[in-house]
Each structure stands twice: as C-alpha cells, then as structure tokens.
Amino acid sequence: MDKNKIKNEISVIEESGFDDAYKEYSIGKWRTKSIWNQNGINGEAISKEYCGHAKRTFFSNQLTYINEIISKNFNTKYIKSVRVLNSCENGMIFPHKDYLEFKKGFNRVRVVLYTDKNCLNSEKDTIYHMRAGEVWYVDGSNIHSAMSLSEKGKFTLIEAVM
C-alpha cells in the first residue's frame, strides 16, 4: 500500500466525522465510517442481511485509493458492507460475537491501513497485533475484541462478505 495515499485518505475520513454505530459495545475512542453499504446512503453503518451487493456511499467517492484497493483485491459482488474503523486513545470494543441476530451472518475480512504496536486484537484466547498492509479473516462467531492504547491508533477496513 502507498503510505502517503493512505495518510491522505485517513485525513479525509477524520475531517468528515464518523458514523454513530455500535458505540454501545465500546469505550474510549472507537469510531466507524460506512463507505459501502446496502443502499449507498452516507451514515448507515449498521450491518444488515440483504440480497445483492454493497454500493459505495456518496462520501466514499472521495476515497479513490481505498476504493481501488477494494476493487482490485476483492470480488465486489460478494461484499455486503465496508466500514473504516478507527480505534485510539484507550479505545476498546468489548469481547463479543458478531451477527447473532442474522440467519446466515457474514464473513469478515480486515485490511489494516495504519497501526502501531500499541493496538491489539484477540480471538478466543489469543492476543495478536495486526500490522499495516496485512489482510485478516476474523471469525465473528468466536469471541473477539480489540483495544488501542495509542494516540493515533489503528485504521482498518472491515468488509462483510458472503
């Protein structure tokens, strides 16, 4: 990944503000920004089961490099949503399982855009650090959580796919 292009697009995301979704499952700074979703409407960051594939939000048109990463590396017809997650300043998401309310649920792929060594994730009884540029599959049916003890924190693309 081009670090300068990522840095520029992270600045665009930070300036635009974040969506109000899933805050009840976190403490500290744990923020999300929907960039692809069911209907392409800005601000709709709650995951939903539906037929079809995700559409880019109007806001995401400003993120040409991030959209390029997605389009070049994933079969977009299987994507249900893409969010940018930022955790920083002691932000933590509580241990949880994903999509319990859905019939099928989704697989979740994470692409780390920016991070430092003070950002940790866990799945079951394993704690690990995701490095920038890495792609991770997280099994949301397992108990998992994450935390960030740094000022800048971590920026991650989270893609829900079928």
Side-chain angles (χ1 to χ4, degrees), residues 48-66:
K48 298 176 184 173
E49 276 187 313
Y50 63 92
C51 293
H53 62 282
K55 297 170 181 60
R56 293 179 186 182
T57 63
F58 180 74
F59 168 76
S60 79
N61 292 326
Q62 299 175 60
L63 306 176
T64 55
Y65 186 61
I66 288 175

Side-chain angles (χ1 to χ4, degrees), residues 78-97:
Y78 296 109
I79 294 176
K80 295 296 185 180
S81 68
V82 180
R83 294 178 285 147
V84 175
L85 176 74
N86 172 234
S87 58
C88 58
E89 300 174 11
N90 300 319
M92 177 183 163
I93 188 119
F94 301 120
H96 66 284
K97 292 183 180 185

